[in-house]
């Protein structure tokens, strides 16, 4: 008798990537390959209902490759201005902290990422 909304996505090479990675609890977190430099990323621990959906982007609080702020998709605190650092790299991302929401040792995290330049083999200028 309840109403539900379901959003379904799939990876599109050079545009978006959906997958999972395993945390290592280190400030040198696991490298996650997306095949492109992310512009927008959402991460969620699959084993914890109390952890939020963390959203990172390349427009706010970025220092080189380091992204230092996030939005919360499902928490009353709308955003945070630091302490959950990760790197947006040319072909993926890498957590740079031990925070249990994005890099707890032995935990599985699901993610969805969208590319900064979402064109696979574009030659346009």
């Amino acid at each position: 008798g309840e109403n539900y909304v379901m959003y379904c996505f799939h990876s599109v090479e050079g545009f978006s990537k959906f997958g999972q990675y395993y945390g290592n609890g280190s400030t040198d977190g696991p490298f996650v390959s997306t095949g492109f430099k992310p512009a927008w990323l959402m991460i969620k621990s699959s084993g914890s209902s109390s952890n939020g959906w963390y959203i990172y982007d390349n427009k706010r609080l970025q220092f080189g490759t380091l992204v230092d702020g996030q939005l919360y998709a499902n928490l009353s605190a709308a955003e945070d201005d630091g302490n959950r650092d990760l790197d947006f790299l040319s072909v993926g991302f890498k957590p740079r902290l031990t925070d249990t929401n994005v890099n707890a040792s032995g935990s599985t995290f699901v993610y969805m990422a969208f590319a900064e330049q979402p064109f696979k083999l574009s030659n346009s200028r």
Side-chain angles (χ1 to χ4, degrees), residues 23 32 41 53 88 102 121 123:
V32 182
L41 172 69
W53 289 89
F88 278 180
V102 296
L121 298 170
N123 291 323

Side-chain angles (χ1 to χ4, degrees), residues 28-107:
D28 185 21
F31 169 72
V32 182
S33 176
T34 59
F36 52 78
K37 185 174 185 178
W40 189 94
L41 172 69
M42 186 182 319
I43 299 173
K44 170 75 169 92
S45 171
S46 66
S48 173
S49 61
S50 63
N51 287 6
W53 289 89
Y54 289 79
I55 299 172
Y56 298 86
D57 64 67
N58 65 355
K59 301 300 182 201
R60 300 168 308 107
L61 295 170
Q62 186 172 4
F63 307 97
T65 61
L66 182 69
V67 180
D68 195 30
Q70 68 280 339
L71 300 172
Y72 302 118
N74 65 328
L75 301 176
S76 60
E79 72 180 303
D80 193 349
D81 62 0
N83 83 1
R84 287 182 172 76
D85 307 334
L86 55 88
D87 283 333
F88 278 180
L89 304 169
S90 62
V91 291
F93 65 93
K94 185 177 187 77
R96 291 292 185 182
L97 71 168
T98 60
D99 189 279
T100 59
N101 294 289
V102 296
N103 191 24
S105 181
S107 293

